[in-house]
Amino acid sequence: MRWTKSMNENALRAYYRAKGEETAGIAYRARMHCFFAELEPSIPVTEQNLADRVRYIMRSKIFDDAELERLRREAIPSSNESAMAGDAAPHTTDQLPRVEAAMDLPVVVDSDDDEMVSHELEQMRSILEEAILETRSTPLENRPRLPRIPLSKRNRAVVRALNPMLVTYLEASRDLCETDSILFGAAVAVCRIIGAKLPMAGRATTQSSAIPAWRKRIEDRIAKARALIGRLTSFRSGNNRPRIMRTVRMAFAGTNISLSQPDITQKLTERIDDLKQKIAAWGKRIRRFSEGSRRFNQNRLFQSDQKRLYKLLERPKVCGAGQGPEQADTVAFWRGLWSEPVNHSEGPWMEVVASQGASITPMDTVTITPEDVAEAVRRAPNWKCPGLDTGCINTG
């Protein structure tokens, strides 16, 4: 079907009239189709074809701004006519300023991108409002994890188009929590508009505990090997069901072993032992990889947050078990070791050492005051071990 100028004008009239009466989402398309059928009853066209045609007209700029304004005024009654209409269509005049404001929104896009027409902006506004309402009613722990979107020209244009729409919500924000909900809802709206996949609610809290891909692959191999061992053992015990026979034939496929050989029992035993050795090797590989990953994570955590590492290393069954000693018993124990004078029986070698050090000037007596201890502790980093041995964990 070839569209003429009058058909294009009627399509725009139907579009402006539908948008003036219905601005939520894409519900205007049905109304636009009805209005166009009244203007052009002899032209068979679907809602989708009509919407695509309006998009093409807006994007290709068949009509200039003056003609678009004339068609819009012809489609939408003026304020005087609306006032005379009374209560016949009260929502039309209420929603008209929103439509005009949406059409006047500045859309900054690159020259290579398709321009965003007014109905696209209305759809984006509806998606934004819906996302903000959902975010406000969703607890923080149930919010989806936002994916990282590529910085393409189209994505930047979507962000630049949504930024002016956020001004009204941010100005009405009452506290920081509501501002956070607005910004998070805007990010969700961007993801929905560009088609980015959002994980299910509450998925963000389970990502850190997911099984690594390498471990899952090895565990799948172990599960398949154990299932095969079970089938081979069942066949060796005399089970000749078709499902078992098919599995055994697949296990010996590509070899010169036939199930009718007299030594098939020995071959089955060798195959089962081989699978058991593979399972043991895969299990050791999982333990080795897990231990290496644990050491790597601990060393990295030691460099960034030692306090958190030591808390992770604590063993509740050992450190927190039982009741601690009384303070008086502790003081009496250490006082008996350090405060009471002790007479030692020295050997003859002490006389030799004393004669050799007789010419050495003795060092002045060192008195350690509480101020000295406080100064040393103040300069020491957190979780510093006492003594010379400060390597609490392997950091190599």
Side-chain angles (χ1 to χ4, degrees):
M1 181 181 65
R2 184 178 180 84
W3 287 76
T4 62
K5 182 178 181 181
S6 60
M7 294 166 56
N8 291 334
E9 291 178 350
N10 288 332
L12 288 179
R13 291 188 181 98
Y15 166 74
Y16 286 130
R17 185 178 175 186
K19 291 297 290 185
E21 297 187 6
E22 184 70 35
T23 59
I26 59 175
Y28 73 93
R29 288 173 36 163
R31 307 177 68 87
M32 178 177 64
H33 185 263
C34 295
F35 294 148
F36 183 78
E38 296 175 2
L39 298 175
E40 298 285 351
S42 61
I43 300 178
V45 63
T46 63
E47 293 182 11
Q48 184 63 45
N49 293 338
L50 182 59
D52 293 340
R53 186 61 188 179
V54 172
R55 181 193 295 267
Y56 170 76
I57 295 172
M58 293 290 192
R59 195 169 54 194
S60 59
K61 296 183 179 180
I62 297 178
F63 301 100
D64 56 17
D65 296 340
E67 291 177 326
L68 292 176
E69 181 65 19
R70 177 182 60 83
L71 294 173
R72 187 185 66 81
R73 291 184 177 180
E74 292 178 359
I76 302 177
S78 62
S79 58
N80 294 334
E81 295 174 351
S82 300
M84 294 174 59
D87 298 334
H91 58 281
T92 303
T93 55
D94 293 338
Q95 295 182 355
L96 181 58
R98 293 179 54 191
V99 177
E100 294 179 349
M103 295 176 58
D104 295 335
L105 280 175
V107 181
V108 183
V109 296
D110 297 295
S111 58
D112 297 336
D113 290 334
D114 295 335
E115 292 184 358
M116 296 182 184
V117 295
S118 57
H119 73 276
E120 289 181 326
L121 292 175
E122 287 299 330
Q123 294 180 16
M124 294 168 61
R125 188 187 299 275
S126 176
I127 295 174
L128 174 63
E129 183 177 358
E130 181 181 357
I132 292 177
L133 292 177
E134 291 180 2
T135 305
R136 286 176 176 173
S137 60
T138 303
L140 292 176
E141 60 274 9
N142 292 337
R143 289 183 181 179
R145 184 176 182 180
L146 297 176
R148 180 174 296 180
I149 61 176
L151 296 178
S152 62
K153 295 181 180 179
R154 178 61 180 175
N155 294 347
R156 294 190 182 192
V158 171
V159 174
R160 285 195 293 264
L162 285 178
N163 284 338
M165 304 179 187
L166 290 176
V167 176
T168 304
Y169 296 98
L170 294 176
E171 289 179 349
S173 178
R174 295 167 294 181
D175 51 23
L176 186 59
C177 294
E178 188 172 355
T179 302
D180 175 74
S181 300
I182 294 172
L183 296 179
F184 191 89
V188 172
V190 171
C191 294
R192 292 178 179 176
I193 292 172
I194 66 177
K197 293 183 178 180
L198 287 172
M200 298 299 292
R203 185 87 176 272
T205 58
T206 61
Q207 289 291 331
S208 58
S209 60
I211 301 176
W214 61 265
R215 180 166 182 170
K216 191 175 185 304
R217 287 194 297 266
I218 298 177
E219 289 179 349
D220 291 342
R221 295 177 193 170
I222 294 176
K224 292 179 180 179
R226 287 175 176 171
L228 182 56
I229 289 175
R231 299 286 178 85
L232 295 178
T233 304
S234 179
F235 176 76
R236 189 176 58 180
S237 301
N239 189 345
N240 296 327
R241 288 185 300 176
R243 186 176 182 181
I244 300 296
M245 297 291 293
R246 183 169 60 252
T247 304
V248 175
R249 290 192 185 96
M250 292 176 60
F252 290 104
T255 63
N256 296 327
I257 301 175
S258 175
L259 300 184
S260 59
Q261 292 180 355
D263 59 343
I264 186 62
T265 303
Q266 181 181 356
K267 298 297 183 182
L268 287 171
T269 303
E270 293 176 356
R271 180 63 171 163
I272 291 173
D273 292 341
D274 181 64
L275 291 173
K276 289 182 179 179
Q277 292 177 10
K278 286 185 177 180
I279 291 176
W282 288 332
K284 291 181 180 179
R285 184 180 300 179
I286 289 178
R287 289 191 294 270
R288 186 172 66 252
F289 287 177
S290 300
E291 182 66 19
S293 177
R294 185 183 64 84
R295 287 198 302 266
F296 173 78
N297 293 331
Q298 286 183 354
N299 292 336
R300 185 172 58 179
L301 186 59
F302 179 79
Q303 300 295 332
S304 59
D305 192 350
Q306 298 178 13
K307 180 179 179 180
R308 182 182 174 189
L309 172 63
Y310 294 136
K311 286 185 176 296
L312 292 176
L313 293 178
E314 289 181 357
R315 294 178 295 177
K317 294 183 180 180
V318 177
C319 298
Q323 184 177 2
E326 297 291 339
Q327 182 178 1
D329 297 337
T330 305
V331 172
F333 174 80
W334 288 107
R335 180 172 295 169
L337 293 178
W338 298 104
S339 299
E340 301 296 333
V342 179
N343 296 324
H344 300 281
S345 58
E346 308 293 351
W349 61 274
M350 288 296 297
E351 299 178 359
V352 178
V353 174
S355 61
Q356 292 177 354
S359 59
I360 300 176
T361 303
M363 186 180 66
D364 296 337
T365 304
V366 178
T367 303
I368 301 177
T369 62
E371 290 75 12
D372 296 334
V373 176
E375 181 65 18
V377 173
R378 185 181 64 83
R379 295 181 180 180
N382 293 335
W383 299 94
K384 183 71 174 178
C385 294
L388 298 178
D389 185 13
T390 58
C392 294
I393 108 176
N394 178 22
T395 58

